[in-house]
């Protein structure tokens, strides 16, 4: 367990890296939105957290909107079923590595129902899979934000994750 000074520093260091989740679609399930909101609030104790929900369109227009939401300093992670499979501890390690690299903003991208355009794939620095299964996009939002929260609790040594 970290000492009090080290714990305060670890929490402060998390705030140095912001998290943005860009997703395509709409909010249409109140129950899921309540859960997403709860985990977003929990993540905000560790990091500045922002959502950007883009309207559904064709893949190319969605791609332009996604790329326009990015800046050159972002570390972008595309979520895709063909991406690298990662477990909760692996996601925590991935996030710790980004913290160690002094990444300013970690951006997770959830594409639309028909995937993402090639220009989004080109700007992604990593492609990650949460599961080999296919989920509705709103459920992916919940899974992702819960896993980000879990990753922070793993890094902080909190009891949320059971080893």
């Amino acid at each position: 367990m970290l000492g009090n000074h080290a714990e305060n520093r670890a929490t402060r260091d998390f705030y140095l890296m912001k998290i943005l989740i860009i997703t395509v679609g709409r909010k249409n399930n109140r129950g899921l939105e309540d859960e997403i909101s709860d985990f977003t609030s929990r993540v905000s104790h560790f990091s500045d957290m922002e959502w950007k929900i883009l309207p559904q369109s064709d893949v190319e227009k969605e791609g332009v909107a996604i790329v326009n939401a990015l800046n050159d300093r972002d570390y972008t992670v595309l979520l895709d079923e063909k991406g690298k499979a990662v477990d909760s501890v692996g996601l925590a390690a991935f996030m710790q590595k980004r913290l160690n690299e002094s990444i300013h903003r970690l951006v997770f991208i959830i594409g639309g129902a028909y995937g993402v355009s090639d220009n989004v794939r080109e700007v992604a620095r990593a492609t990650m899979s949460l599961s080999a299964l296919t989920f509705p996009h709103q459920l992916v939002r919940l899974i992702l934000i819960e896993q980000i929260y879990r990753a922070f609790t793993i890094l902080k040594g909190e009891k949320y994750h059971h080893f």
Side-chain angles (χ1 to χ4, degrees), residues 87-150:
D87 62 11
S88 299
V89 174
L91 179 60
F94 175 85
M95 290 173 60
Q96 181 64 61
K97 188 170 183 182
R98 303 296 76 84
L99 283 162
N100 293 347
E101 295 169 348
S102 299
I103 295 299
H104 176 70
R105 188 167 75 165
L106 182 59
V107 180
F108 292 92
I109 300 169
I110 304 169
Y114 298 101
V116 296
S117 62
D118 289 340
N119 61 337
V120 173
R121 290 188 184 284
E122 290 169 8
V123 299
R125 294 180 65 182
T127 304
M128 190 177 287
S129 172
L130 296 176
S131 173
L133 301 172
T134 302
F135 297 109
H137 285 74
Q138 201 164 5
L139 187 54
V140 172
R141 292 180 207 161
L142 176 57
I143 293 168
L144 176 60
I145 192 65
E146 188 278 337
Q147 287 298 303
I148 291 170
Y149 173 71
R150 184 177 297 272

Side-chain angles (χ1 to χ4, degrees), residues 58-67 70 76 78 80 82 109 111-112 114-127:
D58 66 70
V59 171
E60 294 304 318
K61 287 180 184 173
E62 291 169 357
V64 169
I66 290 168
V67 171
L70 302 172
T76 55
L78 174 61
D80 185 279
K82 295 176 187 136
I109 300 169
Y114 298 101
V116 296
S117 62
D118 289 340
N119 61 337
V120 173
R121 290 188 184 284
E122 290 169 8
V123 299
R125 294 180 65 182
T127 304

